[in-house]
Amino acid sequence: MNEEWKALILDHYKHPRFYGPKEDFAFASEQHNRTCGDHVKVFASLEGKFSQWSFVGAGCSLCLASASLMMELLQNQTKDAVEAIRDENRSMWDGGIDFETASRPLWQALDGLRQYPVRSRCVKLAWQALDEILVSWNSLDISIA
Amino acid sequence: MSIAPEGVDPVKALFPIFKSHPELIYLDSNATSQKPEIVVEAIDRYYRSENANVHRGIYQLSENATRTFEESRIRIAKYINAETQEIIFTRGTTEAINLVANSAGQAFLRPGDEIVVTVAEHHSNIVPWQMAAERFGVTVKYIPLRADRRLDLDAARTLINSKTRIVSLAHVSNVLGVIHPIRDIIKMAKAVGALTMIDGAQGLPHLPVDVKELDCDFYAFSGHKVFGPTGIGVLYGRKTLLQAMPPYQGGGDMIEKVTLHGSTWNELPSKFEAGTPHIEGVIGLGAAIDFLKSMPMDSLLNHDRHLGTYLTHRLKEEFPRVQIMVEPGDDWVGTVTMAHPNIHPHDLAAVCDGENIAIRAGHHCAQPLMEILGVTATARVSPSLYNDESDIDAFLAALRKAEKLFLS
Ligand SMILES: Cc1ncc(COP(=O)(O)O)c(C=O)c1O
């Protein structure tokens, strides 16, 4: 990881964005990494089509920075946009994104991590929560429709 | 800078990994040890000039392979003072414990019996017993630790009682590096007629082992932690017990006669070694045992304990925030496990990695123990004979760097 991205990770780790529980959440998901005890809980509330996000958790720098960076990406997005971000994140792990030209700093910051499978679990924790939330969000939409 | 106490050479040169990575500072020997040249050579020689299946061919090459293979068994048996037939090759400690939990379980466990282990065990000495408990209708009991993180022998005295059928514990804890008082526990078990199984994964790398003197029924270890190859380990079992136990797996080598209606079992040790064995693993392990024999074990132990003590003292002086899990002592092999209130062990390990220092971070396959220690994960430094004080100094410098990074 280069110095610039290291600094970004450290910044988000020390000053996590959108940190704190939500009272009025529509969805929440808590994920644990059993190998190190890290845990992250992600909350989402809805205002019409738009989503607001926050998280709480304890973990290493990558785990918490990843959650914090995810918050920035998801804030005020519609479900379609959230799903697109989730898909982009997935394809990053599958090697489907060229990091040199990647638009999102998170993807770039996390380049190089794929070679550390143990730590990739730290990074993915918040994203697993997102997966679970999207499942609930989708089933909510189906039941409303 | 002091290197090793008398009797142990500066040994990095014996380990080819340090030729490939001269900058490497390897402080994770409890996870796996590095391999000396003679082990690598033995494996290389086998594949280049000795490869054939064992116990099968009626031709020179196979007979030679069989001889080298069986000579390894003899050397290992001698090293731990067992009979040759009492040495069963397994994939490692894990498989050895599973073998005992299954086969001894089938032969000796009855519903209502109790198995006693300790809370400080590696998962491989907990989970197979929990599975056996399900299967045979028995219960698993746990010997607790005292406040100083040594085994609570008073509690052991009540836990080990007439209901106890098997007592299984580590010779040395992989997280704490504490040498358990296995002689006392074995005596308690004998007194109530229980079988004893010692997980020697961290014992053999640091201590001389004489299974007859210990008077244990089973003793297991892994090749890869005693300077040998991965994928090979040993189960020592008392002959009379092994004879009374059913086979663990079925296949070639382990049978005497097979008909379409049934089969009869081969003699020991073949009864417990189904299929083509890990031949180069056994040969490499034989070489590793030769290597161990060439090391005076007490200076090896003193060396590792010295490095662990040195690290502990410097941590206390220079890093008062760091929580150290045990105090050094005579019953300790030098493993230093720690937690930093402000630096996650993963982050510490990553900073160390940036300095070419390998340490372990995580729960070390001992989640129950982590819970008792009140931490979810820790960082562990486990020195071995190829380390010296300069390696510890480098680790401390990396720790300082991590503090700067994460505390500023
Ligand atoms: C005390 C102890 N027991 C058992 C094991 C399991 O050994 P293996 O994975 O080689 O089977 C280990 C390995 O870390 C260990 O340290």
Side-chain angles (χ1 to χ4, degrees):
Chain A
M1 216 190 291
N2 72 31
E3 293 304 321
E4 195 181 334
W5 305 129
K6 248 187 227 167
L8 181 77
I9 297 279
L10 270 177
D11 177 42
H12 275 263
Y13 174 57
K14 290 180 186 170
H15 314 285
R17 322 294 201 263
F18 305 99
Y19 191 90
K22 256 184 198 304
E23 299 290 314
D24 58 336
F25 63 88
F27 312 108
S29 166
E30 185 160 17
Q31 300 290 324
H32 291 264
N33 181 349
R34 271 179 284 275
T35 63
C36 54
D38 290 2
H39 53 95
V40 165
K41 186 166 184 180
V42 174
F43 302 88
S45 58
L46 297 177
E47 264 169 45
K49 286 174 19 181
F50 299 99
S51 54
Q52 265 72 52
W53 298 79
S54 77
F55 82 105
V56 295
C60 65
S61 57
L62 292 179
C63 171
L64 297 183
S66 174
S68 172
L69 284 154
M70 185 179 94
M71 293 296 115
E72 287 193 331
L73 292 178
L74 301 183
Q75 224 51 247
N76 283 318
Q77 299 295 330
T78 62
K79 195 181 80 195
D80 286 350
V82 168
E83 279 182 324
I85 291 163
R86 189 265 317 266
D87 293 345
E88 206 179 316
N89 181 265
R90 275 197 188 155
S91 61
M92 174 190 90
W93 292 104
D94 300 340
I97 285 186
D98 179 1
F99 292 100
E100 300 292 316
T101 58
S103 53
R104 305 195 191 279
L106 175 60
W107 303 173
Q108 295 189 11
L110 301 184
D111 183 19
L113 274 183
R114 279 179 302 165
Q115 54 184 319
Y116 295 106
V118 174
R119 298 221 74 194
S120 71
R121 274 194 258 163
C122 310
V123 177
K124 285 178 178 172
L125 212 57
W127 295 86
Q128 286 166 3
L130 174 60
D131 277 338
E132 220 176 74
I133 286 177
L134 276 169
V135 171
S136 316
W137 196 350
N138 277 315
S139 55
L140 177 79
D141 283 4
I142 289 166
S143 63
I144 289 172
Chain B
M1 193 114 306
S2 100
I3 306 182
E6 251 186 48
V8 182
D9 276 326
V11 277
K12 260 190 178 145
L14 300 176
F15 290 80
I17 191 109
F18 298 113
K19 282 190 198 116
S20 310
H21 303 281
E23 70 295 340
L24 172 65
I25 295 175
Y26 188 76
L27 289 169
D28 194 17
S29 292
N30 282 16
T32 198
S33 61
Q34 294 301 338
K35 317 306 170 199
E37 191 72 48
I38 65 161
V39 169
V40 179
E41 259 171 28
I43 296 168
D44 186 72
R45 190 179 339 112
Y46 168 70
Y47 276 126
R48 283 182 198 283
S49 55
E50 299 165 358
N51 176 56
N53 208 333
V54 292
H55 306 143
R56 285 163 172 77
I58 312 293
Y59 49 87
Q60 201 60 49
L61 201 61
S62 170
E63 280 172 10
N64 288 347
T66 305
R67 187 173 331 111
T68 318
F69 180 89
E70 289 301 333
E71 274 171 10
S72 276
R73 194 193 305 270
I74 294 168
R75 294 212 295 281
I76 294 161
K78 278 207 180 115
Y79 185 71
I80 62 168
N81 194 23
E83 287 178 41
T84 312
Q85 296 163 290
E86 295 176 319
I87 299 297
I88 313 289
F89 289 121
T90 64
R91 283 196 296 124
T93 307
T94 303
E95 193 181 43
I97 298 173
N98 276 279
L99 189 161
V100 175
N102 278 278
S103 294
Q106 217 177 311
F108 307 120
L109 287 177
R110 299 291 167 261
D113 286 351
E114 291 178 359
I115 294 165
V116 174
V117 303
T118 86
V119 294
E121 299 305 309
H122 190 276
H123 291 163
S124 63
N125 197 26
I126 296 179
V127 183
W129 301 115
Q130 292 174 337
M131 291 164 70
E134 286 268 306
R135 189 169 158 205
F136 303 113
V138 303
T139 350
V140 184
K141 302 270 162 149
Y142 298 89
I143 303 173
L145 298 183
R146 300 186 313 227
D148 65 355
R149 274 118 200 209
R150 264 65 178 185
L151 281 188
D152 184 340
L153 286 181
D154 291 333
R157 248 170 237 119
T158 43
L159 284 166
I160 299 173
N161 56 45
S162 59
K163 286 194 209 144
T164 312
R165 252 346 251 138
I166 299 177
V167 178
S168 184
L169 78 161
H171 197 168
V172 174
S173 151
N174 63 313
V175 177
L176 302 172
V178 169
I179 305 169
H180 290 153
I182 57 171
R183 283 179 183 76
D184 295 328
I185 302 270
I186 291 169
K187 277 202 196 96
M188 289 179 207
K190 296 264 151 204
V192 298
L195 300 175
T196 48
M197 155 111 229
I198 306 300
D199 165 358
Q202 304 292 348
L204 212 72
H206 289 105
L207 303 165
V209 170
D210 178 334
V211 291
K212 294 279 134 81
E213 184 260 322
L214 285 175
D215 203 21
C216 58
D217 294 307
F218 302 99
Y219 192 101
F221 64 90
S222 298
H224 70 98
K225 296 192 201 272
V226 283
F227 311 110
T230 55
I232 188 70
V234 166
L235 172 67
Y236 155 80
R238 200 186 288 278
K239 191 162 68 183
T240 47
L241 293 172
L242 292 176
Q243 281 164 341
M245 285 157 52
Y248 176 50
Q249 293 177 331
D253 264 352
M254 53 74 68
I255 34 73
E256 178 191 54
K257 182 169 176 354
V258 179
T259 71
L260 295 181
H261 309 291
S263 309
T264 54
W265 315 136
N266 204 337
E267 299 280 295
L268 291 176
S270 305
K271 176 172 131 185
F272 289 104
E273 293 179 357
T276 296
H278 185 11
I279 303 171
E280 87 275 22
V282 168
I283 290 171
L285 180 55
I289 293 296
D290 290 345
F291 179 78
L292 264 190
K293 270 197 294 208
S294 71
M295 296 282 135
M297 285 309 279
D298 55 340
S299 26
L300 200 67
L301 175 62
N302 285 334
H303 170 75
D304 298 350
R305 190 184 283 157
H306 165 74
L307 291 181
T309 307
Y310 173 66
L311 172 57
T312 304
H313 288 159
R314 287 207 45 199
L315 282 171
K316 283 185 176 175
E317 275 166 27
E318 298 163 41
F319 299 88
R321 284 175 218 262
V322 170
Q323 180 194 353
I324 301 164
M325 297 302 158
V326 284
E327 287 298 318
D330 289 342
D331 60 345
W332 181 67
V333 302
T335 306
V336 180
T337 293
M338 66 195 92
H340 194 296
N342 313 98
I343 309 174
H344 191 286
H346 279 177
D347 290 322
L348 176 56
V351 172
C352 285
D353 183 45
E355 309 292 315
N356 301 307
I357 303 167
I359 64 160
R360 176 79 186 266
H363 57 51
H364 318 291
C365 299
Q367 284 174 346
L369 177 58
M370 291 290 122
E371 217 173 304
I372 288 162
L373 297 178
V375 291
T376 43
T378 55
R380 180 184 72 190
V381 169
S382 52
S384 185
L385 79 173
Y386 31 70
N387 297 117
D388 59 26
E389 283 184 3
S390 73
D391 295 345
I392 303 295
D393 295 340
F395 168 73
L396 291 161
L399 179 55
R400 190 158 292 116
K401 187 169 174 177
E403 278 202 339
K404 222 180 232 157
L405 211 52
F406 288 97
L407 298 189
S408 60

